[in-house]
Amino acid sequence: MLIQKSNPVGIDAAIRNLQTFLHSKLTVLWNVTDQYRCYGRCYRNKIDGGYIAENYEGEKEYKEVYWDDTLSAISFFGTGSKTTFDIKNKTDVHLVFFVDLSKIKPAIAHRADEEVRNQVQKLFGSGLFDFAIDSTELWLENVLREYPGSRREDRLKIVDMQPVHCFRINLKLLYDPKICNTLKI
């Protein structure tokens, strides 16, 4: 399921372009048409004990975007706290994945975490929609470092043990906010 913002502008338009592309490619590669929940930019919201990633659902309602064991995969985008302005805007964006390896790569007997990360990384090539890969991170404390409130949840204790794998792709985005307001796909 592709969960997108209506009429995105600026960074949200850039993210929507990438989100739409990744969803269309990964649902085919992973054969998970209705089992991949793909969120756009989520918000870093304060709760008791820290911050969590939430999607704005409308009507002043937010929903957490973490692992759901009824699905095959979940992904969401987050942004850094700073955007540098020049001829184009430059900002850090992260893309977080939670995947059930047994559902995405059922034919592979070993833990297929590297295979899944490779598939996602290859989609970027040398750049995609003004995004460039900066790095990939593993381990829950690294993947969710901006969201320390999420690590206190009991249900997240097993998100990086077979069959579930979490990882994060750190991206650099260079975009022109004046023209980055329509879907480019």
Side-chain angles (χ1 to χ4, degrees):
M1 177 185 310
L2 190 57
I3 300 152
Q4 296 182 313
K5 293 186 178 206
S6 301
N7 304 312
V9 297
I11 194 169
D12 289 325
I15 287 173
R16 183 175 177 172
N17 290 333
L18 180 56
Q19 175 195 12
T20 302
F21 173 81
L22 289 174
H23 183 266
S24 68
K25 296 294 184 185
L26 292 174
T27 54
V28 172
L29 281 171
W30 295 343
N31 193 27
V32 291
T33 306
D34 294 328
Q35 292 296 305
Y36 173 26
R37 191 169 293 151
C38 183
Y39 293 95
R41 180 175 60 94
C42 289
Y43 295 91
R44 182 178 181 256
N45 292 336
K46 178 84 170 146
I47 61 164
D48 291 338
Y51 291 88
I52 59 173
E54 293 184 308
N55 184 59
Y56 181 67
E57 301 284 308
E59 304 289 326
K60 299 181 184 178
E61 295 295 322
Y62 290 85
K63 177 184 178 188
E64 288 186 52
V65 293
Y66 301 122
W67 181 238
D68 175 345
D69 62 5
T70 65
L71 299 172
S72 298
I74 293 174
S75 67
F76 70 89
F77 291 86
T79 60
S81 61
K82 177 177 139 182
T83 298
T84 304
F85 298 98
D86 200 341
I87 294 170
K88 290 189 172 187
N89 290 356
K90 181 178 174 183
T91 193
D92 293 328
V93 175
H94 53 270
L95 174 57
V96 173
F97 281 91
F98 295 96
V99 297
D100 184 330
L101 300 170
S102 67
K103 293 177 182 175
I104 290 176
K105 297 288 183 189
I108 297 177
H110 64 265
R111 183 167 166 81
D113 53 350
E114 188 66 24
E115 289 84 349
V116 168
R117 286 193 311 274
N118 257 341
Q119 282 185 316
V120 174
Q121 291 167 344
K122 282 181 181 179
L123 290 175
F124 283 89
S126 61
L128 189 61
F129 301 109
D130 300 320
F131 289 88
I133 290 182
D134 185 47
S135 61
T136 300
E137 294 188 64
L138 306 176
W139 308 335
L140 186 62
E141 59 273 8
N142 296 327
V143 172
L144 297 178
R145 75 172 155 270
E146 289 90 353
Y147 315 102
S150 61
R151 292 193 295 270
R152 69 176 175 75
E153 301 288 337
D154 290 339
R155 63 189 159 82
L156 287 179
K157 288 181 181 176
I158 59 165
V159 297
D160 211 13
M161 294 180 69
Q162 187 63 13
V164 183
H165 177 50
C166 68
F167 64 101
R168 166 183 173 139
I169 297 179
N170 295 312
L171 305 162
K172 297 284 184 188
L173 171 62
L174 190 63
Y175 69 103
D176 185 341
K178 295 176 194 154
I179 62 172
C180 193
N181 59 7
T182 58
L183 195 59
K184 293 182 183 179
I185 295 177

